[in-house]
Amino acid sequence: MLEVRIDQEECIGCETCVELCPDVFTFDSVQNKAYVSTPEGGDQECIEEAIASCPVSCITVEET
Ligand code: SF4
């Protein structure tokens, strides 16, 4: 199983991951940070794009 995670401490709320991959990442407008709505992942390509595009590199995928 895969687990997609965002380090909430590091996230600067740029929304890039949410724009690239809305099925997996959702924006929390109260906290002003993104969170993972689908930890087991989804479209691998857009997850990888989000990881590569996150300006603070706070998205990770782990095998669990
Ligand atoms: Fe946060 Fe990174 Fe997503 Fe931007 S791309 S909202 S910094 S997790």
Side-chain angles (χ1 to χ4, degrees):
M1 275 281 285
L2 291 180
E3 189 178 351
V4 184
R5 288 189 198 154
I6 289 178
D7 184 336
Q8 298 275 327
E9 300 275 301
E10 296 293 323
C11 174
I12 56 167
C14 71
E15 293 190 63
T16 303
C17 59
V18 182
E19 278 163 22
L20 288 171
C21 214
D23 291 341
V24 178
F25 303 102
T26 303
F27 196 67
D28 180 340
S29 50
V30 176
Q31 302 286 333
N32 234 5
K33 288 175 190 284
Y35 66 93
V36 181
S37 55
T38 314
E40 67 273 25
D43 182 345
Q44 194 59 32
E45 220 168 279
C46 82
I47 294 170
E48 274 165 25
E49 215 181 321
I51 290 171
S53 305
C54 176
V56 292
S57 305
C58 68
I59 306 170
T60 53
V61 179
E62 275 179 36
E63 286 276 354
T64 53

